[in-house]
Amino acid sequence: MPKSPTELPHVAFTHHRIGVHTELSQTATRNAPTVTLTELTTPVVGIPEADQQRSRGLALLQLSLKSDIPEGLRLARDELLAAWDGGARDAAVAAGLARIATEIGWTEKALEWSTIALQLDSAPSEERVAALKIRGELAFNSGRYESALKDFEELTIARREARHWFYRGMTEQNLNQTDNAVRSLRTSLEIDPRNPGAHAALGAILDSRKDQAAEQHHQAAKRLLGPRTVN
């Protein structure tokens, strides 16, 4: 899946049902900068080992997502699993393991750990939001639209992000909730007016309904993005 929340996936249309095509992100290895991890791996006196492993694992995860650290995701996974086994069992650790599983394409573990994170944290925290995003997109990609919609509905309440509204709209369209889908996609475009995926999805829905607003939408999208981007 896209590495950044601002990168909406490519959309395809089949019988008025809309699918999102995603690609597993891969850790780049060429031209990787040298990163010193001494501070992360140096033991701290007086702090339980499980807590140190938790901190190291979460830090390694963030560094690996932002930089090209050889074996970074594996090291982060090992630290977080050790922290979990050592008693540091909180939503941050579970959400971190869910993100790692997502990055390497292990969907079964991503679903398992995201569900655990949601069970551990009922507040609208960053960890819960991250877990909802992973579980919701997994449900969407596997065609479990009812389950996906529940997660995207909560996400759009917790955070105003274009990606969440985009997926909510796509899910609603696949559940034949077309009016809701149009509203959600328009909200996504209010947040990020220059996203071609949302423009294409909304345009396809309006065309399929022979909506009078379709042509106006296509012209507005061309002015924003250029004709090649939206065709």
Side-chain angles (χ1 to χ4, degrees):
M1 69 178 51
K3 293 182 179 179
S4 167
T6 61
E7 294 175 4
L8 295 185
H10 170 69
V11 292
F13 310 100
T14 305
H15 302 298
H16 306 305
R17 304 191 79 185
I18 303 177
V20 178
H21 297 314
T22 60
E23 296 180 357
L24 296 176
S25 59
Q26 299 178 347
T27 303
T29 56
R30 291 183 300 176
N31 301 321
T34 302
V35 179
T36 301
L37 302 178
T38 303
E39 292 183 0
L40 289 177
T41 56
T42 301
V44 180
V45 178
I47 298 179
E49 179 61 20
D51 291 340
Q52 294 187 55
Q53 291 166 330
R54 175 189 182 277
S55 296
R56 288 196 298 267
L58 294 174
L60 278 166
L61 173 57
Q62 292 305 312
L63 283 172
S64 298
L65 294 174
K66 295 177 181 179
S67 306
D68 298 329
I69 303 177
E71 298 294 312
L73 288 177
R74 183 188 64 78
L75 293 170
R77 179 202 62 192
D78 291 347
E79 291 283 6
L80 291 176
L81 285 173
W84 184 268
D85 291 340
R89 301 190 172 191
D90 60 19
V93 173
L97 287 166
R99 179 62 187 273
I100 293 169
T102 301
E103 289 294 316
I104 65 176
W106 196 354
T107 56
E108 180 180 337
K109 283 297 180 182
L111 177 60
E112 178 183 337
W113 282 112
S114 61
T115 300
I116 291 173
L118 293 170
Q119 292 170 345
L120 290 171
D121 194 348
S122 59
S125 63
E126 292 300 325
E127 290 77 17
R128 184 169 182 84
V129 166
L132 282 168
K133 175 181 174 294
I134 291 170
R135 192 176 72 174
E137 292 184 16
L138 286 173
F140 180 92
N141 292 334
S142 63
R144 295 181 289 109
Y145 300 120
E146 292 85 358
S147 297
L149 184 56
K150 291 179 182 178
D151 288 342
F152 294 133
E153 285 176 339
E154 183 176 342
L155 274 171
T156 52
I157 293 172
R159 297 290 186 276
R160 182 175 168 80
E161 293 188 17
R163 183 188 184 95
H164 303 335
W165 281 103
F166 174 79
Y167 266 101
R168 177 172 173 168
M170 303 288 268
T171 305
E172 289 165 337
Q173 177 62 12
N174 281 310
L175 290 170
N176 297 316
Q177 299 177 16
T178 304
D179 289 340
N180 290 341
V182 169
R183 283 193 291 270
S184 294
L185 290 169
R186 282 178 170 159
T187 301
S188 178
L189 286 170
E190 288 175 6
I191 301 169
D192 182 6
R194 299 185 62 83
N195 190 277
H199 278 293
L202 179 57
I205 293 173
L206 295 176
D207 285 339
S208 71
R209 297 202 307 180
K210 301 186 184 306
D211 195 305
Q212 293 181 351
E215 182 59 27
Q216 182 180 0
H217 171 78
H218 290 308
Q219 292 302 320
K222 287 179 181 179
R223 286 194 298 272
L224 277 170
L225 306 173
R228 292 185 179 180
T229 307
V230 295
N231 284 343

